[in-house]
Amino acid sequence: MRVLILGGDGYLGWPTAMELQRSGHDVCVVDNYLRRKIAQATDSEALMDNPRLPERTEIFAAKTNMKILYEEGDCCDFDFLNGVFERFGPDAVVHYAEQPSAPYSMIGFHEARLTLTNNLNSTFALIWAVLKQNRNCHIIKLGTMGEYGTPNIDIEEGWIEINHKGRSERFLYPRQAGSLYHTTKVLDTDLLWFYVRTYGIQVTDLMQGPVYGLSTDSADLDVRLAPNFHYDDIFGTVVNRFLVQAVAGIPLTVYGRGGQVRGYLNLRDTIRCIELAVENPAKKGELRILNQFTETFSVNQLAERVQRVGRGLGLDVNIQHVDNPRKEMEEHYYNPVRHGLLDLGLKPHFMTDEVLAVMIEKILQYRERIVPSRILPRVRWK
Ligand SMILES: NC(=O)c1ccc[n+]([C@@H]2O[C@H](COP(=O)([O-])OP(=O)(O)OC[C@H]3O[C@@H](n4cnc5c(N)ncnc54)[C@H](O)[C@@H]3O)[C@@H](O)[C@H]2O)c1
């Protein structure tokens, strides 16, 4: 299939592009380097140097003899995106091109507005490119488990049957996001649902949990093909951050009491989920919602695991509870359903001690590059 990846320079986008190309699809990636610009502006650069798309695609071609096409531009710009559709003619589009940091979206007005306009407008331009060019093109949109929040009832897979005064109807599962970033994802889902039910387009919305990992078959071919690996408070996801803190000898920063439970998944599983969604499209007129995580952990459990594995490797790893910069429940019920991707054939890579140890060993090679001032929370929800 011809697969267009929006946000193809990102932490998830670039490794996805390489694996899809190697599994036989034709891939084109699009990016405007928004993530790199924000990382530079907030002193949150990645642990390793990651070349931009022209160089990355060259290195990939030299290693594999395969060509990933790329376009540099803003997905919010409808004329640009429509032109990409005309030139490439995708069968499926993977939409990663959003501002993904909750803390960044909570810094102030300008950062919140950038997050809101960028995330909604990139989704909106994509919907219209599909409407104009090919209504059979399958949109695979990255949402987040954070859209649901932490309700005191089980979290279903996107939809819930409501019985009310003797009648019943299936609705989108209620969403109560905990940051402006997560709220833009809720708004994206509503936007997509409107266009699905009105125009019959086909959409998969993936409610993804925080991803960890820096290794994939293609990323391991050459260090310059590695994903953008962030460990700061703005872009770093919690497992990646804890592993870097363990290596740097900085106590693991558990926010508040640490009873916050979330669903996590390995980078390799994110890619496999995308591949499964591409190869098993949603039906016409369907908004298919899949919960994309493989295991749930509390922050305390993650910290204890990283501490145990780090100490096993001879590192001095301690845990420190810091004042929670976020507004969130620190102890709560959490029981989300996750059948859809397993039914499609996902075979999870679980977070074993060995997986964490391999990551720590890789990070140790970059120990000198860790900047400690990027680790403690710099943004508060107030
Ligand atoms: N990483 C995670 O743990 C995680 C978890 C849940 C959901 N997600 C979602 O998955 C997607 C990818 O996440 P990521 O961690 O790879 O983030 P990322 O920031 O590394 O990747 C997103 C990419 O999109 C690009 N981009 C943003 N706006 C753009 C625009 N208007 N035009 C062109 N390019 C644009 C950025 O430059 C960046 O390279 C995001 O939508 C994010 O919300 C990520």
Side-chain angles (χ1 to χ4, degrees):
M1 292 172 80
R2 296 179 71 75
V3 185
L4 186 62
I5 300 184
L6 309 183
D9 182 58
Y11 172 52
L12 306 179
W14 174 246
T16 306
M18 292 192 290
E19 298 312 329
L20 288 188
Q21 183 72 48
R22 285 178 85 194
S23 63
H25 301 290
D26 288 327
V27 175
C28 175
V29 293
V30 182
D31 212 289
N32 67 347
Y33 306 119
L34 177 70
R35 164 71 161 254
R36 292 176 187 257
K37 286 174 210 151
I38 293 177
Q40 199 177 23
T42 56
D43 187 23
S44 306
E45 273 117 337
L47 185 62
M48 302 146 192
D49 285 328
N50 307 106
R52 289 185 176 224
L53 290 173
E55 205 187 324
R56 273 182 157 175
T57 51
E58 286 277 316
I59 298 163
F60 179 74
K63 293 279 166 193
T64 63
N65 236 351
M66 290 179 198
K67 200 168 165 58
I68 294 176
L69 302 175
Y70 70 89
E71 302 250 8
E72 293 169 310
D74 185 351
C75 295
C76 299
D77 176 347
F78 174 74
D79 293 335
F80 164 72
L81 194 61
N82 199 42
V84 173
F85 264 69
E86 274 170 2
R87 289 188 286 281
F88 184 64
D91 301 306
V93 182
V94 181
H95 178 22
Y96 286 126
E98 300 209 344
Q99 191 301 98
S101 163
Y104 181 78
S105 76
M106 301 298 289
I107 292 177
F109 172 76
H110 295 286
E111 295 81 2
R113 184 178 59 181
L114 183 152
T115 306
L116 184 69
T117 55
N118 184 70
N119 295 2
L120 269 292
N121 284 330
S122 60
T123 303
F124 189 61
L126 168 60
I127 291 168
W128 274 96
V130 165
L131 289 176
K132 291 273 179 204
Q133 299 282 337
N134 174 12
R135 292 190 181 192
N136 297 321
C137 175
H138 177 205
I139 296 177
I140 298 158
K141 163 74 183 33
L142 265 292
T144 146
M145 286 298 292
E147 290 183 44
Y148 300 122
T150 50
N152 202 28
I153 58 171
D154 289 0
I155 296 174
E156 301 301 326
E157 211 146 14
W159 300 92
I160 189 166
E161 188 84 19
I162 304 274
N163 296 305
H164 183 63
K165 296 184 180 171
R167 305 176 70 84
S168 68
E169 170 86 71
R170 183 173 171 260
F171 289 102
L172 284 171
Y173 188 93
R175 283 150 163 82
Q176 308 188 88
S179 77
L180 191 270
Y181 151 69
H182 290 97
T183 302
T184 65
K185 295 288 193 184
V186 176
L187 299 173
D188 275 342
T189 299
D190 265 324
L191 201 55
L192 288 162
W193 176 219
F194 168 73
Y195 281 98
V196 165
R197 64 180 192 266
T198 308
Y199 294 89
I201 58 174
Q202 48 201 99
V203 176
T204 299
D205 199 353
L206 297 170
M207 300 295 128
Q208 182 173 245
V211 182
Y212 62 90
L214 40 52
S215 176
T216 69
D217 291 351
S218 303
D220 294 346
L221 291 174
D222 186 306
V223 65
R224 294 167 299 168
L225 296 178
N228 313 348
F229 185 80
H230 288 261
Y231 60 95
D232 54 272
D233 64 318
I234 307 260
F235 284 121
T237 50
V238 60
V239 181
N240 292 351
R241 281 194 282 123
F242 280 177
L243 293 169
V244 171
Q245 292 170 18
V247 167
I250 297 168
L252 311 185
T253 49
V254 171
Y255 292 173
R257 293 210 296 278
Q260 304 91 317
V261 182
R262 302 287 184 268
Y264 295 87
L265 77 165
N266 191 301
L267 176 58
R268 289 178 185 269
D269 288 339
T270 291
I271 295 168
R272 184 64 187 136
C273 291
I274 298 292
E275 203 168 13
L276 287 168
V278 166
E279 290 167 5
N280 302 277
K283 295 194 238 351
K284 276 189 83 60
E286 182 190 14
L287 171 61
R288 175 176 60 173
I289 302 179
L290 303 171
N291 292 346
Q292 185 165 313
F293 67 93
T294 58
E295 302 170 270
T296 57
F297 297 102
S298 71
V299 180
N300 284 329
Q301 287 171 324
L302 291 176
E304 283 155 17
R305 274 178 172 237
V306 172
Q307 183 179 50
R308 185 180 68 229
V309 176
R311 285 185 172 168
L313 292 170
L315 298 169
D316 179 23
V317 186
N318 295 300
I319 297 173
Q320 183 191 9
H321 288 260
V322 300
D323 194 24
N324 194 342
R326 302 180 179 217
K327 210 169 235 178
E328 62 185 4
M329 280 194 265
E330 295 174 6
E331 305 284 347
H332 56 88
Y333 180 77
Y334 200 65
N335 189 26
V337 167
R338 53 166 184 112
H339 292 307
L341 285 157
L342 296 174
D343 293 347
L344 288 179
L346 177 68
K347 305 259 183 303
H349 293 78
F350 292 115
M351 195 192 295
T352 60
D353 285 5
E354 198 198 339
V355 165
L356 294 178
V358 170
M359 282 184 72
I360 289 180
E361 270 156 9
K362 204 162 210 172
I363 295 165
L364 274 167
Q365 297 165 28
Y366 297 89
R367 191 183 217 155
E368 303 310 316
R369 293 180 55 109
I370 299 170
V371 180
S373 60
R374 294 177 185 166
I375 284 173
L376 284 175
R378 293 172 286 180
V379 183
R380 299 200 165 266
W381 273 223
K382 61 177 184 189

